[in-house]
Amino acid sequence: MVFGQTPVPAGILSLSDLGCQTPGSDGRLRLALLTPQGQLLTLETDEKIGAMAWQFLPVNDHATVIVTRVKATRHIVAYVVRRQEDRLTLERMPELPVPYRGDFAAAIAGPTETAQLMILGGSDGQYRGCMECRNDTHLLNLETRTWSAGPPMLEARSELGATRLPDGSVLVTGGWTKQAKWGRGPSTTAERWNPTTHRFEAITPMPTGTARHGGVWLPGQERKSLLITGGLSGTAQAFDVATQTWRTVAEWIEGSEEGGCGFLPFTFEGN
């Protein structure tokens, strides 16, 4: 069973259960990195890597962070997977001792050489939405293995999106906010963490509100045009990094509570 898989600079990284057909595999997990040259590097571990769901966040050419929660406490915990020549290593980071539901966002923040893990928004409330959601952020220094309080977002948000931009800033999009309640639909607002000022700044709102979504670079437009897609809006909204403006490039019948799993074909600039 494959729990997660993502493209990273070093290849394609996946996390899977060894399965009942492997003798003595109960509770064991396998990390696998498939390199562009076709080399397969694997690491089997007894580490109980949190509770579903996992997020995979590439840091640089040799490291990726897996973010999840401890099932019993709901504390966020991160693991760093590193490629060291022809082997993989796994390092467990200290827990963030704050309980969360699975409605927070996570992103790598800052320049590559000083990148940190940022946790944004979310809540530990009984119900979905923003009745008890937070504008808090937390930063994990991956070198010193220490957590610190980050700057507050402009709005409290749950089920938001957060994506690292090429300059190391973090784009925050949508989710449920105090203004965007269940009857009105998810928020259109967006903001950006500025690594120079260490503050969040408002940017132009999205054309359509969304939540439970993700960000992916448009093929052929990497580092230039970011697609905000999946989730509740049933759209692909392109964010132009240079001008910090939005446009809707695709629409389909409806959004998905499951995060928009599946293939969503559309036309972009004639292609």
Side-chain angles (χ1 to χ4, degrees), residues 51-213:
M52 292 186 182
W54 295 277
Q55 297 182 53
F56 292 72
L57 302 172
V59 180
N60 52 41
D61 290 347
H62 304 289
T64 298
V65 174
I66 301 175
V67 182
T68 183
R69 294 179 301 147
V70 178
K71 187 174 183 180
T73 62
R74 294 186 173 185
H75 292 172
I76 292 172
V77 62
Y79 296 84
V80 181
V81 183
R82 291 187 174 91
R83 178 182 179 180
Q84 297 181 349
E85 297 182 350
D86 291 337
R87 68 188 186 98
L88 300 178
T89 64
L90 181 69
E91 181 182 8
R92 190 184 196 274
M93 293 283 135
E95 296 176 19
L96 174 62
V98 180
Y100 279 88
R101 288 206 323 259
D103 56 358
F104 62 92
I108 301 300
T112 300
E113 58 274 10
T114 57
Q116 300 184 78
L117 171 65
M118 179 179 280
I119 303 298
L120 309 96
S123 74
D124 191 39
Q126 183 177 359
Y127 302 106
R128 286 177 59 192
C130 197
M131 292 178 63
E132 302 177 39
C133 69
R134 303 161 173 155
N135 67 345
D136 302 349
T137 68
H138 302 273
L139 290 166
L140 173 63
N141 186 310
L142 301 174
E143 296 301 320
T144 64
R145 297 166 47 89
T146 54
W147 287 98
S148 61
M153 294 186 295
L154 301 179
E155 291 186 86
R157 302 174 186 267
S158 67
E159 299 186 359
L160 64 159
T163 308
R164 182 192 193 184
L165 298 180
D167 63 355
S169 63
V170 175
L171 175 67
V172 176
T173 51
W176 303 101
T177 67
K178 299 295 184 183
Q179 290 74 34
K181 300 178 181 179
W182 283 106
R184 301 179 184 177
S187 178
T188 62
T189 63
E191 51 189 285
R192 170 181 164 268
W193 173 71
N194 185 327
T196 302
T197 63
H198 196 44
R199 295 188 178 191
F200 284 88
E201 306 164 347
I203 63 171
T204 305
M206 298 180 291
T208 306
T210 191
R212 300 172 71 88
H213 53 288

Side-chain angles (χ1 to χ4, degrees), residues 18-20 22-28 46:
L18 288 180
C20 59
T22 305
S25 65
D26 185 36
R28 292 179 63 82
D46 290 322

Side-chain angles (χ1 to χ4, degrees), residues 217-266:
W217 293 106
L218 183 71
Q221 294 287 316
E222 289 83 1
R223 301 174 64 87
K224 297 179 181 179
S225 187
L226 180 72
L227 292 184
I228 300 300
T229 188
L232 302 183
S233 71
T235 64
Q237 304 178 73
F239 177 73
D240 185 278
V241 173
T243 62
Q244 296 196 20
T245 56
W246 296 93
R247 56 177 169 157
T248 300
V249 297
E251 296 182 74
W252 39 93
I253 296 174
E254 61 183 7
S256 170
E257 285 281 346
E258 301 304 320
C261 297
F263 294 94
L264 307 169
F266 61 92

